[in-house]
């Protein structure tokens, strides 16, 4: 039997609501009252979906057959009708009918009957959840489309747009005045994608010191080598994680970016804060072949240990608007990971720019501390704390002696940031203010297919039993890689400025010979669009190191 399009569309809508309920309860913990309200609405939506199924499988064939089914009454509530033809049709197919007619002198009354009480009187049973009776009743009275957003809504915060930085590009500008973005011996492009070697320039004049001496070339090269790397704008390979060629080449093609005019924002702790090493651990903590890429930070072990301690809250906060789920700056994430949640009350005297800047930093620090300490109820970090990480007790010693823990944490930070950033970018480019929630859910379903089965926004937080196979292998033999490529191409093909080659990749499967090239083309378009929209490098997905974990 062919199902009409409007019926199938409504069935998909009901199915989407039910899936959002189930996924929301599986991924995100909910208070008691919310859980009860969702259970009541799940029951109502399930009955509505079952009624739609019975209508298509039983009622429609009876209507088309022309036979009399009046003695085979269906176990349904029935229908209220006002037209005689409708009452006759429903009676014939076996549906109870309440035929409503205005009471007039012309209305024939065949019989007046008395009210018959039920054989088993209905009794009100006191429920232990008496506080929630009104809430449940409110859910039952509401219609599906009106009630579902309040119960199934697990929304990801929007990523604020940043204005592009003011980078001078006048013809008479000398390259010496452009911002230096190279570090650790990595030679990169400067300014607006112009390499230093491609711009003819005169040798810069040597600057005199206060003793009258001229600064030598050796000192200049030393200062350049000691300048800090900014992973927000410059691609820096990690010594711990392996990177697919398509993602690495896409990031290298746009790196380095001009300096940021606004602080970079991240939904989850940035991985580059956690892939550094301490001098006490040495280079043995990472791969020997990639040891030269290691960056040192003596706070790394404390960051990792405290992350394991507050991990449950960070995952819940990401999709819960009541917990202030806005993306945070790198400085804020450092405060979160450091774990000292005591407020600062140092007066910042003065009205000059340094005093105002210091006051803003202190206010931002105190806001983060109040969020963690008072809202989440998390005390400040102490080295003696132990944390539960997927059933494993984590101590400060475990962090320093277990490389597998770091690999797990880095994969999670990469994966959650990548998923959240893809959703946020698609929301900026596609979603409209006049959209209903069903439109948002349909779009989230398409985006979530990039990293797994189509679902909703809550799947940005991976579960422990989730399949963590890498989906960006450069070979077409892996079906997961092909599914993710087609899903990402389908999503980005609707973005403004999408090349025709990317749009064609969404409409047809690439051959084994074309797969690597098409994959690289789609990833490059995503990276360029992200950089153009948010003016920083995106976080890329990395493989889960099963050989180490």
């Amino acid at each position: 039997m062919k199902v009409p399009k409007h019926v199938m569309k409504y069935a998909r809508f009901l199915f989407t609501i039910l899936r959002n309920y189930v996924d929301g309860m599986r991924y995100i913990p909910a208070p008691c009252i919310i859980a009860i309200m969702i259970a009541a609405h799940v029951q109502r939506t399930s009955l509505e979906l079952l009624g739609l199924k019975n209508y298509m499988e039983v009622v429609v064939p009876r209507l088309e057959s022309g036979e009399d089914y009046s003695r085979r009454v269906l176990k349904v509530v029935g229908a209220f009708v006002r037209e005689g033809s409708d009452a006759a049709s429903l009676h014939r197919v076996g549906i109870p009918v309440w035929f409503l007619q205005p009471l007039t002198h012309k209305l024939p009354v065949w019989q007046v009957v008395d009210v018959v009480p039920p054989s088993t009187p209905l009794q009100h049973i006191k429920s232990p959840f008496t506080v929630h009776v009104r809430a449940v009743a409110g859910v039952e009275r509401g219609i599906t489309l009106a009630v579902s957003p309040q119960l199934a809504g697990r929304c990801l915060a929007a990523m604020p747009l940043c204005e592009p930085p003011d980078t001078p590009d006048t013809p008479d500008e000398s390259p010496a005045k452009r911002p230096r973005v190279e570090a650790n011996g990595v030679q990169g492009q400067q300014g607006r994608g112009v390499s230093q070697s491609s711009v003819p320039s005169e040798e810069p004049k040597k600057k005199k010191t206060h003793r009258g001496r001229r600064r030598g070339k050796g000192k200049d090269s030393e200062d350049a080598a000691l300048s800090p790397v900014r992973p927000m704008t410059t691609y820096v390979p990690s010594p711990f994680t392996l990177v697919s060629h398509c993602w690495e080449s896409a990031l290298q093609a746009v790196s380095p970016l001009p300096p940021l005019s606004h602080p970079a924002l991240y939904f989850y702790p940035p991985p580059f804060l956690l892939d550094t090493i301490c001098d006490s651990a040495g280079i043995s903590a990472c791969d020997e072949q990639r040891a030269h890429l290691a960056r040192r930070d003596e706070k790394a072990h404390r960051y990792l240990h405290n992350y394991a301690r507050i991990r449950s809250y960070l995952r819940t906060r990401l999709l819960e608007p009541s917990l202030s789920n806005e993306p945070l700056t790198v400085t804020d994430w450092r405060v979160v990971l450091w774990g000292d949640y005591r407020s600062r009350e140092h007066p910042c005297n003065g009205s000059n720019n340094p005093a105002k800047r210091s006051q803003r930093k202190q206010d931002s620090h105190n806001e983060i501390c109040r969020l963690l300490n008072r809202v989440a109820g998390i005390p400040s970090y102490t080295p003696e704390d132990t944390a539960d990480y997927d059933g494993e007790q984590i101590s400060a010693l475990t962090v320093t002696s277990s490389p597998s823990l770091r690999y797990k944490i880095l994969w999670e930070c990469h994966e959650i940031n990548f998923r959240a950033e893809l959703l946020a970018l698609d929301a900026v480019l596609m979603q409209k203010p006049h959209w209903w929630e069903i439109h948002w859910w349909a779009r989230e379903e398409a985006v979530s297919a990039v990293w797994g089965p189509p679902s909703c926004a809550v799947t940005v937080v991976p579960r422990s039993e989730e399949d963590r196979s890498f989906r960006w292998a450069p070979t077409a033999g892996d079906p997961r890689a092909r599914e993710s490529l087609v899903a990402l191409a389908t999503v980005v093909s609707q973005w403004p400025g999408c090349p025709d080659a990317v749009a064609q990749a969404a409409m047809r499967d690439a051959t084994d010979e074309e797969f690597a090239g098409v994959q690289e083309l789609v990833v490059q378009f995503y990276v360029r669009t992200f950089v153009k929209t948010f003016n920083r490098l995106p976080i890329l997905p990395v493989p889960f190191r099963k050989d180490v974990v």
Side-chain angles (χ1 to χ4, degrees):
M1 181 184 62
K2 187 177 180 180
V3 181
K5 291 184 178 180
H6 68 282
V7 177
M8 182 60 68
K9 183 178 180 181
Y10 185 58
R12 290 180 183 274
F13 165 67
L14 295 176
F15 177 76
T16 300
I17 292 177
L18 287 175
R19 187 188 56 205
N20 285 3
Y21 290 148
V22 175
D23 287 343
M25 296 301 293
R26 290 171 60 194
Y27 283 81
I28 306 297
C32 177
I33 184 173
I34 299 297
I36 294 176
M37 294 171 67
I38 289 179
H41 201 46
V42 163
Q43 183 184 38
R44 180 185 181 278
T45 308
S46 301
L47 290 175
E48 192 165 355
L49 187 60
L50 179 61
L52 186 64
K53 178 177 179 293
N54 290 335
Y55 172 76
M56 292 305 304
E57 294 180 353
V58 180
V59 177
V60 172
R62 289 187 177 187
L63 286 172
E64 295 176 351
S65 68
E67 299 181 12
D68 185 12
Y69 296 91
S70 58
R71 295 187 178 277
R72 284 181 279 179
V73 181
L74 298 176
K75 295 181 179 180
V76 296
V77 174
F80 292 86
V81 296
R82 295 180 181 274
E83 297 291 336
S85 58
D86 295 338
S89 298
L90 294 176
H91 176 71
R92 180 182 64 83
V93 298
I95 296 180
V97 177
W98 280 263
F99 190 21
L100 304 180
Q101 298 183 78
L103 182 61
T104 63
H105 295 287
K106 297 181 179 181
L107 177 65
V109 178
W110 295 345
Q111 184 180 3
V112 178
V113 297
D114 298 329
V115 178
V116 179
S119 57
T120 303
L122 299 178
Q123 297 180 358
H124 175 70
I125 301 176
K126 293 185 178 180
S127 170
F129 306 104
T130 53
V131 179
H132 312 301
V133 170
R134 293 185 178 180
V136 175
V139 173
E140 294 174 345
R141 286 195 302 266
I143 61 174
T144 302
L145 188 58
V147 178
S148 299
Q150 284 76 26
L151 298 181
R154 290 290 191 273
C155 54
L156 190 71
M159 177 83 81
L161 294 177
C162 298
E163 298 179 359
D166 298 330
T167 306
D169 56 351
T170 55
D172 57 345
E173 181 193 13
S174 63
K177 294 182 180 180
R178 300 193 179 195
R180 184 180 297 273
V181 290
E182 51 188 309
N184 286 359
V186 179
Q187 183 75 22
Q189 295 180 345
Q190 298 181 349
R192 290 183 178 268
V194 183
S195 62
Q196 187 177 9
S197 58
S198 63
V199 182
S201 61
E202 299 178 358
E203 183 179 356
K205 295 181 180 181
K206 296 181 179 179
K207 204 172 184 179
K208 288 187 176 182
T209 62
H210 66 283
R211 294 186 179 181
R213 300 177 182 178
R214 296 182 181 272
R215 181 177 298 179
K217 295 182 180 179
K219 184 65 176 177
D220 290 337
S221 60
E222 182 181 354
D223 291 343
L226 295 177
S227 58
V229 178
R230 299 181 65 83
M232 297 84 71
T233 58
T234 304
Y235 172 64
V236 181
S238 171
F240 297 96
T241 56
L242 303 177
V243 181
S244 178
H245 173 72
C246 63
W247 287 98
E248 187 172 33
S249 60
L251 292 177
Q252 289 175 343
V254 298
S255 175
L257 301 176
L260 298 175
S261 59
H262 295 78
L265 300 175
Y266 293 88
F267 287 99
Y268 210 65
F272 52 78
L273 294 181
L274 302 170
D275 65 354
T276 56
I277 63 174
C278 300
D279 290 335
S280 58
I283 62 175
S284 61
C286 55
D287 296 339
E288 295 181 358
Q289 296 83 356
R290 305 168 67 87
H292 64 284
L293 303 173
R295 295 174 293 116
R296 285 171 169 77
D297 187 354
E298 296 303 316
K299 301 178 181 179
H301 286 169
R302 176 162 173 169
Y303 283 171
L304 292 167
H305 188 203
N306 191 49
Y307 169 83
R309 192 176 68 99
I310 64 175
R311 171 177 176 253
S312 177
Y313 166 74
L314 295 180
R315 291 162 62 94
T316 304
R317 168 193 174 272
L318 188 62
L319 294 164
E320 187 56 57
S322 62
L323 297 179
S324 182
N325 62 342
E326 292 84 4
L328 303 178
T329 65
V330 177
T331 302
D332 292 338
W333 280 120
R334 289 185 183 274
V335 175
V336 172
L337 295 175
W338 181 247
D340 185 5
Y341 304 138
R342 296 172 298 178
S343 299
R344 297 176 180 175
E345 302 297 340
H346 305 296
C348 301
N349 299 324
S351 58
N352 53 1
N353 290 334
K356 294 180 180 179
R357 187 161 50 248
S358 178
Q359 183 64 44
R360 285 196 300 269
K361 289 182 178 180
Q362 178 174 292
D363 294 341
S364 177
H365 177 275
N366 292 341
E367 184 177 355
I368 296 297
C369 292
R370 285 193 296 269
L371 176 64
L372 271 295
N373 188 262
R374 299 182 183 179
V375 177
I378 300 176
S380 295
Y381 170 84
T382 59
E384 294 77 19
D385 291 337
T386 58
D388 180 81
Y389 193 99
D390 289 342
E392 180 183 359
Q393 293 299 316
I394 305 300
S395 63
L397 180 61
T398 309
V399 173
T400 59
S401 59
S402 175
S404 63
L405 176 64
R406 185 193 290 262
Y407 288 122
K408 290 180 183 178
I409 293 176
L410 286 176
W411 178 86
E412 186 171 78
C413 292
H414 272 277
E415 192 67 18
I416 292 180
N417 272 302
F418 165 69
R419 297 179 183 185
E421 289 175 359
L422 179 57
L423 274 171
L425 179 59
D426 185 77
V428 171
L429 299 177
M430 292 299 300
Q431 295 185 8
K432 307 299 181 183
H434 62 273
W435 276 15
W436 286 16
E437 282 75 9
I438 187 60
H439 300 138
W440 300 343
W441 294 340
R443 195 62 191 174
E444 290 174 359
E445 179 181 358
V447 176
S448 62
V450 175
W451 56 78
S455 185
C456 54
V458 297
T459 56
V460 299
V461 180
R463 303 181 68 197
S464 57
E465 63 271 18
E466 180 178 317
D467 182 15
R468 301 186 177 184
S469 301
F470 190 52
R471 291 177 169 266
W472 300 101
T475 59
D478 188 355
R480 298 182 185 86
R482 186 176 290 276
E483 292 173 0
S484 293
L485 175 61
V486 174
L488 182 60
T490 303
V491 170
V492 303
S493 62
Q494 302 180 29
W495 292 355
C498 177
D500 294 337
V502 176
Q504 293 176 2
M507 294 184 291
R508 67 178 182 88
D509 288 340
T511 62
D512 294 349
E513 294 77 13
E514 300 172 338
F515 184 82
V518 172
Q519 186 185 61
E520 189 169 347
L521 185 65
V522 174
V523 170
Q524 285 179 353
F525 175 68
Y526 165 73
V527 171
R528 291 197 307 269
T529 306
F530 186 93
V531 170
K532 181 180 178 181
T533 306
F534 298 123
N535 298 312
R536 70 161 175 87
L537 295 180
I539 301 297
L540 70 165
V542 297
F544 186 75
R545 299 287 300 273
K546 295 182 179 180
D547 57 329
V548 179
V549 176

